[in-house]
Amino acid sequence: MSDELKGKKVAFLATNGFEYSELTQPWDEIKAAGAEVELISLESGKIQGESGGEPTGDPKPVDKTVDQVSAGDYNALVLPGGLANPDTLRTNDRAVSFVRDFFAQHKPVGAICHAPWVLIEAGVVDGRTLTSFPSVQTDLKNAGATWVDREVVCDEALVTSRTPDDLDAFCAKMIEEIAEGKHEEQTT
């Protein structure tokens, strides 16, 4: 365990249907780097991850609901993908507002796979360069983003990746951005 992120607190926003590895690997690596991590969801209890559309792994206990937190409580935000997870989150006004507030406060945000759907709903991708699961690229372009096919893209503390295959690069870049702290160019 390192203390590169000692004193940092990172929110993971997810609900049922998150891609299991896209929550667990960043969680483990960011925690191992010294950060305190909390799982935020729409409801209390536990949420179930998936892989290939099938339930995978043990359900994860929710630390707090989105109604109990604010972006000011955290140094950074991670949005795991999956299909159902970001699709559900983007329909919840409080979740979308929570995400938008990280940008307004110039804090690092990471989104992988289909999670950029939530960023589109939050109105924070216009003029940004991102990557995602390939099927999300048209949605990103229609929202004003430039989409590129790379394992990891960082645009002023917004870190994005395509799939679980990119998790090593995603985690390394996310840890780097959290360690750097606020980025004044990270805006809504």
Side-chain angles (χ1 to χ4, degrees), residues 13-15 77 79-100 103 109-125 130 136 139-140:
L13 178 62
T15 192
L77 172 67
L79 298 166
L83 280 168
N85 171 53
D87 198 39
T88 300
L89 291 174
R90 70 181 173 164
T91 65
N92 182 285
D93 292 340
R94 182 66 191 108
V96 172
S97 178
F98 181 63
V99 170
R100 187 181 304 113
F103 288 84
V109 174
I112 188 165
C113 192
H114 290 80
W117 274 340
V118 183
L119 303 177
I120 292 167
E121 193 66 32
V124 296
V125 301
L130 293 85
V136 180
D139 298 329
L140 284 165

Side-chain angles (χ1 to χ4, degrees), residues 44-78:
S44 60
K46 294 182 177 183
I47 58 174
Q48 181 63 57
E50 296 180 352
S51 182
E54 296 297 320
T56 302
D58 293 329
K60 297 296 180 191
V62 172
D63 293 303
K64 294 181 180 166
T65 67
V66 73
D67 295 323
Q68 298 172 310
V69 296
S70 73
D73 299 334
Y74 301 94
N75 300 98
L77 172 67
V78 176

Side-chain angles (χ1 to χ4, degrees), residues 11 106 166 188:
H106 314 289
D166 301 330
T188 54

